[in-house]
Amino acid sequence: MNPPGPHAADAKRAQPGSLRRGTQRSKSAAEVVGVVLAGGAGSRLGRSKAGLRLPPGSPGEPGPTLVEWATARLGATPRIGEILVAGDGAAIEPPANVRTASVTAVGDGPGAGPAAGVLGAARARSGASLLVLACDLPLAPVGLLSALASSAADLAAAAGDVSDRWTMNLTCALWTPPALGVLASRAAGGDFRLYPLAGCSGLTIEPVAAAPFGNPDDVLLNVNTADDWDRARRLFDPRSPAALRLAAT
């Protein structure tokens, strides 16, 4: 399992927030905005991740880029009526062949790393809850995203082990306005890390198990290196419902 982040040890020292598991709330589609995190230079991989292509569903056809694939999965998730592709606004364009929902490119917000993408989306859709999916998590299934979208917590994130909140991946997560407010306050103070929020007091936090959807090491595979990318392509199923839906658009 990939570690949750380089500063997880710091996060463990934070005062823990309250945990809530297995809770759901009723939302209309307009209340949850899908967000693809498409920024990042891919320094360990040696190239930008956003344009990497997964295996095609049919010979002779290009496979989806990681941004297209993340957009397709969010578009197939119930309660998502709009998708934002967050990154460098000059370089990231919404996929033209994804018609499952309204797709708009937005620029980064303050800070750096994933926090900048999350805060850019929050700035573009003030007051909305955001279902965030990093484009470099190509094996997170629609079922897991649906479980996140249904959470009643302030912050719900996919987790390799629900008994250990530090396996939560906050780039595959539901961020509500209270959690976004805490992130914005931390960013204003110069701290752009996501993971300490997994133990933030004052927030109701829910780890959503990845295990019902497959091996957590696969489901939450984060493409950071060439070996990760090779493994993701081996595990990717172009016959999955979301892939077939993308091919039909």
Side-chain angles (χ1 to χ4, degrees), residues 210-236:
F213 307 97
N215 181 343
D217 288 345
D218 297 337
V219 170
L220 298 180
L221 173 63
N222 188 198
V223 175
N224 285 315
T225 66
D227 287 343
D228 295 335
W229 179 228
D230 288 342
R231 183 177 165 209
R233 285 182 293 177
R234 289 195 304 270
L235 293 170
F236 176 70

Side-chain angles (χ1 to χ4, degrees), residues 32-209:
V32 182
V33 175
V35 178
V36 177
L37 298 181
S43 55
R44 282 184 283 173
L45 190 61
R47 48 182 163 164
S48 174
K49 300 175 186 179
L52 294 175
R53 289 191 178 274
L54 290 159
S58 301
E61 295 181 359
T65 67
L66 290 187
V67 169
E68 289 172 338
W69 180 230
T71 305
R73 282 174 293 155
L74 286 171
T77 301
R79 302 187 177 93
I80 301 297
E82 179 187 17
I83 298 170
L84 304 180
V85 179
D88 180 355
I92 301 296
E93 293 296 331
N97 65 329
V98 175
R99 306 297 182 191
T100 53
S102 171
V103 183
T104 305
V106 297
D108 279 341
V118 174
L119 291 175
R123 179 176 59 189
R125 298 296 182 269
S126 178
S129 293
L130 308 179
L131 182 59
V132 171
L133 178 62
C135 72
D136 58 6
L137 293 169
L139 303 178
V142 171
L144 176 57
L145 299 175
S146 298
L148 291 168
S150 297
S151 174
D154 294 325
L155 178 62
D161 180 355
V162 294
S163 68
D164 182 359
R165 74 173 73 211
W166 310 115
T167 68
M168 293 169 63
N169 190 320
L170 299 187
T171 63
C172 182
L174 178 72
W175 291 77
T176 69
L180 292 167
V182 173
L183 179 62
S185 295
R186 293 177 63 90
D191 188 347
F192 309 127
R193 297 171 297 162
L194 299 185
Y195 289 96
L197 272 74
C200 180
S201 62
L203 293 178
T204 304
I205 299 165
E206 180 180 5
V208 175

